Amino acid sequence: MKVNGRLLKALFFSIVFLITSGFTVVGHRGDPSKYPEETIQSDDSAFNSGADYVELDLHLSSDGELVISHDDDLYRVTHTHAIVSQNNWQTLSQLTYDNGEHVLSLTQLFEHYRKQPQAKFILETKIDHSIDPSYELENKIAATIKKYHMENRVMIHSFSVASLFRLRKLLPDAYLILIVGSLKRINFSNLPQVNAVNISSDLILNHPFLIHWLHRLNKQVFVWAEMDESPSLWHWLINKNIDGVVTNFPSTGFKYKLAKEGTKKYEINRQGIYFGKNKTTTMMNPYVRIKQKKFIYPGQSLNIMYGVRAHNQLYYQIANQTFVSAEFVNLDLKPQEVMPYQDKQLLAKPQTPVTIYRYPENQAKTKKILPANQLFKIKNFNGSPNSMWLKTTLGWVKARDILFYGFFDDASWQQYHNLPRMNRYTNIALTAYQPLQSPPVKTIIETLVALNKRNGSKS
């Protein structure tokens, strides 16, 4: 029996990809916990955080432009009601995200990353062919990929089997992934057309045999979930024999990828700023932590060469045999972005337990809770504008979990409104805090006198 040459080639590359790629980290819509999803800033952050791929969604505008957006209505991300399929590209391209970037087309994305071969993408076709029987979306995706020679830098996934079947004809060697949330979608009609399956984590939890079964068929297994940074969820995922995770937290995914591979040190090569209030000594290495007679100073710019995990803590290498704790080194925050919050206090939101962390990362969670009805001075900052961490005397807390306190004068509000929209937290205490006070304790005589007065007023 003769085997179709193209099918054999696709099968060969599928097996090679399966063996060599290992644990693939995919930034879901970029790095959405830090920056507005599906923007260049968000994509760059995902790649800088260790993502192998960035996942993006595609719709067609009314005049046939490939628009990068998860939703057909752009209100959630641009605060303007605009249906992609009902507006032309000229109109859509004027809309902006909270970071000031404009809505992107696939052409603009490929143009931007054309000379950055390490930037790779998973494209999702957002289409229901029972409603739209045309293949204009797939035809234009294939044409754009060919125009920019992105064949080796792009994978395509979709819930639409029809969409993937069409793309297999247009791009015979493309790496195609079927997204599934139900066992009914995994069958021998669909599987021969795809290289991998992107499965809901719930489905794998209930049917763990799926991973082994799909691997026997030479199909990769990606996992998607409503991902958070829960250590238990990540430990469960990486202990399965999966090939990749599509996550909203690519930096966490990358950390677990390193843990699975047994790697402690990884390349960063980015500029950072030391946010510490006092000068601090550096160390020759983070394992023995012998301090040197070298210092870094508040506001100093640092060239972060590598990240190293030791003693359950992250350290940055800033020069040959020179390391510093990452606790007060910021890669994504600038001093002007935290200025309005610097001299403020914070308190726990009413009826909300606020977890305290040893360091500004989710894996450093403690069992301690920020005391309610108590003000704490903000001592330092870390994270990113959309996902900021605040240092208190008790430890680190997440900015979204608390109320900022102290915006009671015009100067504070002016500084706040000068921030870019994405840097403005709305969880602000608008009125002065009145601490709870116990009622005064009265003596027996004072109580009797009060009762006599009350009884006398009633008579």
Side-chain angles (χ1 to χ4, degrees):
M1 183 177 67
K2 291 185 177 180
V3 180
N4 182 285
R6 282 179 173 170
L7 182 59
L8 184 61
K9 186 178 179 182
L11 179 61
F12 171 76
F13 281 112
S14 175
I15 295 171
V16 171
F17 194 86
L18 177 65
I19 293 171
T20 60
S21 66
F23 184 76
T24 301
V25 178
V26 181
H28 183 231
R29 308 182 207 169
D31 198 351
S33 69
K34 291 183 177 180
Y35 299 104
E37 64 184 55
E38 306 195 310
T39 62
I40 294 295
Q41 186 181 34
S42 187
D43 297 345
D44 282 346
S45 180
F47 290 129
N48 288 334
S49 298
D52 301 294
Y53 286 79
V54 160
E55 188 266 355
L56 302 169
D57 307 276
L58 295 171
H59 292 267
L60 275 178
S61 65
S62 62
D63 56 347
E65 188 71 33
L66 290 167
V67 181
I68 296 174
S69 172
H70 179 270
D71 303 349
D72 193 23
D73 186 345
L74 296 176
Y75 179 79
R76 180 176 61 85
V77 290
T78 68
H79 312 291
T80 300
H81 281 295
I83 307 298
V84 174
S85 57
Q86 296 176 8
N87 285 273
N88 61 33
W89 172 239
Q90 183 177 2
T91 300
L92 297 170
S93 64
Q94 303 306 309
L95 301 177
T96 58
Y97 295 91
D98 285 348
N99 63 354
E101 285 190 39
H102 291 266
V103 172
L104 276 172
S105 69
L106 185 62
T107 297
Q108 289 174 325
L109 179 86
F110 283 174
E111 192 68 52
H112 180 83
Y113 288 104
R114 179 180 243 170
K115 296 181 180 180
Q116 301 179 47
Q118 78 286 355
K120 299 178 181 180
F121 301 93
I122 295 182
L123 307 178
E124 180 175 347
T125 62
K126 304 295 285 188
I127 192 165
D128 183 348
H129 280 293
S130 65
I131 298 173
D132 180 0
S134 79
Y135 289 102
E136 184 182 4
L137 177 68
E138 292 82 3
N139 294 344
K140 292 198 170 181
I141 289 173
T144 307
I145 289 172
K146 291 176 181 177
K147 177 182 177 181
Y148 286 91
H149 308 291
M150 295 288 286
E151 290 90 341
N152 296 325
R153 294 171 55 188
V154 164
M155 296 191 284
I156 304 171
H157 72 167
S158 183
F159 282 97
S160 171
V161 175
S163 184
L164 294 173
F165 276 38
R166 177 66 175 179
L167 284 160
R168 176 60 71 208
K169 292 180 180 179
L170 297 170
L171 298 167
D173 298 326
Y175 204 89
L176 304 182
I177 306 170
L178 176 65
I179 309 174
V180 299
S182 165
L183 281 179
K184 295 178 182 178
R185 291 178 53 77
I186 305 176
N187 58 62
F188 286 101
S189 172
N190 300 336
L191 286 181
Q193 298 296 327
V194 301
N195 305 82
V197 182
N198 189 4
I199 307 175
S200 159
S201 61
D202 292 337
L203 197 59
I204 288 182
L205 182 64
N206 294 324
H207 305 283
F209 69 89
L210 271 177
I211 299 172
H212 175 71
W213 183 69
L214 287 166
H215 280 167
R216 289 289 298 271
L217 295 172
N218 296 313
K219 305 299 176 187
Q220 273 204 303
V221 179
F222 288 74
V223 175
W224 60 270
E226 294 298 325
M227 295 298 297
D228 56 25
E229 292 191 279
S230 161
S232 59
L233 175 61
W234 280 99
H235 281 298
W236 174 78
L237 279 174
I238 68 168
N239 284 322
K240 300 294 179 184
N241 190 23
I242 59 173
D243 304 292
V245 175
V246 183
T247 172
N248 289 337
F249 301 91
S251 60
T252 302
F254 182 57
K255 190 189 85 169
Y256 277 93
K257 173 182 177 176
L258 295 178
K260 189 170 186 178
E261 294 175 351
T263 305
K264 298 288 185 181
K265 184 176 181 179
Y266 57 95
E267 190 173 358
I268 294 179
N269 284 332
R270 292 180 65 193
Q271 289 298 117
I273 300 175
Y274 177 58
F275 265 36
K277 302 296 184 184
N278 304 299
K279 70 177 184 180
T280 187
T281 56
T282 61
M283 59 196 80
M284 291 187 65
N285 69 72
Y287 306 105
V288 181
R289 292 183 288 190
I290 299 173
K291 292 184 178 180
Q292 300 172 307
K293 293 182 179 180
K294 297 179 182 178
F295 299 91
I296 56 174
Y297 297 86
Q300 183 175 338
S301 180
L302 304 171
N303 177 33
I304 312 300
M305 301 163 60
Y306 295 96
V308 177
R309 286 207 162 266
H311 313 290
N312 293 318
Q313 188 177 348
L314 178 61
Y315 297 86
Y316 289 142
Q317 183 174 353
I318 59 174
N320 186 36
Q321 294 186 338
T322 306
F323 293 81
V324 66
S325 167
E327 184 175 11
F328 298 121
V329 178
N330 267 281
L331 300 179
D332 295 295
L333 278 177
K334 299 179 178 62
Q336 60 268 29
E337 292 175 329
V338 301
M339 189 177 297
Y341 307 108
Q342 274 185 328
D343 57 348
K344 303 300 184 291
Q345 295 173 284
L346 62 84
L347 69 159
K349 289 180 181 178
Q351 323 270 302
T352 303
V354 177
T355 301
I356 296 172
Y357 297 78
R358 292 188 304 277
Y359 305 107
E361 55 178 87
N362 281 278
Q363 278 62 47
K365 185 176 182 179
T366 72
K367 295 181 179 180
K368 298 177 182 178
I369 300 297
L370 194 72
N373 304 312
Q374 188 173 338
L375 289 170
F376 292 89
K377 183 175 176 56
I378 299 174
K379 302 179 74 66
N380 220 310
F381 304 84
N382 210 316
S384 68
N386 263 6
S387 184
M388 199 155 66
W389 292 82
L390 309 172
K391 173 74 170 175
T392 72
T393 53
L394 299 182
W396 291 88
V397 296
K398 296 180 180 180
R400 65 172 178 263
D401 293 342
I402 55 85
L403 292 177
F404 287 97
Y405 182 87
F407 284 89
F408 301 131
D409 57 75
D410 292 340
S412 293
W413 283 112
Q414 186 59 49
Q415 279 187 328
Y416 174 79
H417 285 292
N418 286 339
L419 289 172
R421 190 164 57 184
M422 67 176 291
N423 294 63
R424 296 182 209 150
Y425 281 83
T426 56
N427 45 317
I428 293 174
L430 298 176
T431 57
Y433 168 64
Q434 299 294 330
L436 296 177
Q437 295 181 343
S438 302
V441 179
K442 295 181 178 180
T443 64
I444 294 176
I445 294 176
E446 288 173 331
T447 302
L448 291 173
V449 169
L451 285 172
N452 287 332
K453 287 183 178 179
R454 190 185 305 167
N455 293 332
S457 64
K458 289 181 180 179
S459 58

